[in-house]
Amino acid sequence: MSSKYSTPLALSFAIHTVLAVVLLSGDFSSPPKPTVTSVQMEPIQAVVVERSKVEAQINKIKKQKADDAKKLKDLENSIAAAKTKQVNEEKRIKSLERQRKKKEQEKKAADSAAKKSQAKANAADKQRQQKELERAQADKAAADAQAKRIKEEQAAKKAEDLRKKKAADRKRKQQEERERAAQQKLLAQQMAEEMANRQQARRQQMMTEIGRFTALITQTIKRNLITDRSTMEGKSCKLTISLAPSGFVTNVVTGQGDRRVCEAAKTAVYKAGTLPVSKDPEIFREMRTISLTVAPDKFN
């Protein structure tokens, strides 16, 4: 292969190789799962992740990628145009070289003809001088074309170096974007897990408080329960009690159980009038309607 064609072919191969490496260099590995941290058993307000900021960051990243891709495409088009111009210039140089050789051959033929005829010497000498001038002009044109080709090759190399630099910068930015997205995802996961843990801790605390107040309510019913416990051994009644925020009994519904136990338990609840409830609004919502089972023989 001619050395005049090997340079553009090598340049084209290098461009496509760099593009393939850039397209295959994406890293889609999942970030490591964060370690769940311990949470103290106390009510804490939930942390809210501002989804709009995350979406805005994602849109900014997408726009930056599109801008970088357009700049890279424009640069590749410029390089392709420079290659085409270079090929055409090389063709022109070859044409000028053929013309120069032709003029040189014509000059030699003119010199030979001058020796054969002294009568035509002056005309031949004039023709020779003209051919020499034309050859000098052809030599100058060829030299100018060669200098222009070298300048264009230097410009093409500079453009290729710039393209490589931009590709490296784009790859670095993509890596930074991936790392930033991974950090944001990790932070969101940590915040969600922390929120879940704190909600679970709050729930456990609420259930403990509800159990404590249920025991207090049972004790209140016990104090007001009037019945012959010896005749109610092994018997019980399920009650559903509706309460106001102050603990005032608004309604009592008897469920499955012994009729006498149910009547005595219902009377004991209304006799108490007000039952102990939590001052915490969230806990009270859970025990606004509370169900419990009254078994007289199990009261101490």
Side-chain angles (χ1 to χ4, degrees):
M1 182 183 293
S2 174
S3 61
K4 295 181 179 180
Y5 295 97
S6 61
T7 298
L9 287 176
L11 183 60
S12 176
F13 178 77
I15 292 173
H16 287 84
T17 301
V18 170
L19 290 176
V21 170
V22 170
L23 292 175
L24 295 175
S25 63
D27 184 10
F28 303 98
S29 60
S30 301
K33 295 184 177 179
T35 303
V36 178
T37 56
S38 61
V39 181
Q40 295 181 353
M41 301 291 286
E42 58 181 5
I44 298 177
Q45 294 182 351
V47 180
V48 179
V49 179
E50 295 185 5
R51 182 178 178 183
S52 61
K53 290 186 178 180
V54 175
E55 291 177 347
Q57 183 65 25
I58 292 174
N59 292 333
K60 182 179 179 181
I61 291 172
K62 289 181 178 180
K63 184 177 182 303
Q64 184 63 41
K65 287 183 178 179
D67 293 342
D68 291 344
K70 183 178 183 302
K71 291 179 182 179
L72 182 61
K73 184 65 178 177
D74 293 341
L75 183 59
E76 290 175 346
N77 291 338
S78 298
I79 293 174
K83 288 182 181 179
T84 301
K85 187 175 181 181
Q86 179 181 344
V87 171
N88 293 335
E89 189 62 24
E90 289 178 352
K91 290 181 179 179
R92 191 175 74 87
I93 291 173
K94 289 182 179 180
S95 176
L96 291 174
E97 180 65 16
R98 287 194 297 269
Q99 292 178 14
R100 186 188 66 78
K101 290 181 179 180
K102 180 180 179 181
K103 296 298 182 181
E104 185 175 2
Q105 291 174 354
E106 290 175 352
K107 175 182 176 299
K108 290 180 179 179
D111 290 342
S112 177
K115 293 179 181 179
K116 294 179 180 179
S117 177
Q118 185 64 33
K120 298 180 180 180
N122 293 335
D125 186 62
K126 183 177 181 180
Q127 185 179 11
R128 180 181 62 79
Q129 292 177 359
Q130 179 63 31
K131 296 300 181 182
E132 286 181 351
L133 177 61
E134 292 176 354
R135 186 187 68 175
Q137 292 174 344
D139 289 343
K140 184 178 184 302
D144 291 344
Q146 179 69 10
K148 184 178 180 181
R149 184 181 65 82
I150 293 174
K151 184 177 181 181
E152 290 176 349
E153 287 179 351
Q154 292 174 344
K157 184 178 182 302
K158 184 178 180 181
E160 176 65 11
D161 292 341
L162 179 60
R163 188 195 67 79
K164 289 180 179 179
K165 182 179 182 301
K166 288 184 176 293
D169 290 342
R170 184 167 64 91
K171 183 177 179 181
R172 176 180 55 79
K173 289 180 181 178
Q174 289 175 343
Q175 180 63 27
E176 291 174 353
E177 290 167 1
R178 286 193 294 268
E179 292 175 355
R180 186 163 46 252
Q183 291 175 354
Q184 291 175 347
K185 182 177 180 181
L186 178 60
L187 178 60
Q189 289 176 345
Q190 290 175 340
M191 294 173 69
E193 290 177 1
E194 183 178 356
M195 184 188 301
N197 290 335
R198 292 181 177 180
Q199 288 176 344
Q200 182 180 2
R202 173 60 174 164
R203 184 63 183 173
Q204 290 176 351
Q205 182 188 31
M206 289 174 61
M207 294 307 296
T208 300
E209 285 294 292
I210 291 172
R212 184 171 71 86
F213 279 101
T214 300
L216 292 174
I217 291 172
T218 302
Q219 291 297 321
T220 302
I221 295 173
K222 170 189 171 183
R223 288 194 299 270
N224 292 278
L225 185 65
I226 301 175
T227 182
D228 184 359
R229 298 180 185 178
S230 62
T231 63
M232 297 182 180
E233 183 177 356
K235 298 177 181 180
S236 63
C237 179
K238 185 175 181 180
L239 297 181
T240 301
I241 305 171
S242 298
L243 302 170
S246 63
F248 179 75
V249 177
T250 60
N251 191 32
V252 179
V253 178
T254 58
Q256 185 177 4
D258 181 79
R259 182 180 59 80
R260 287 181 296 174
V261 175
C262 288
E263 290 177 356
K266 185 174 182 179
T267 299
V269 172
Y270 279 122
K271 183 179 179 181
T274 300
L275 299 177
V277 294
S278 174
K279 299 300 181 182
D280 187 323
E282 189 175 1
I283 295 177
F284 175 74
R285 281 196 298 271
E286 294 291 330
M287 60 181 300
R288 179 189 296 274
T289 300
I290 185 168
S291 298
L292 51 84
T293 300
V294 177
D297 62 335
K298 293 184 181 180
F299 290 157
N300 295 326

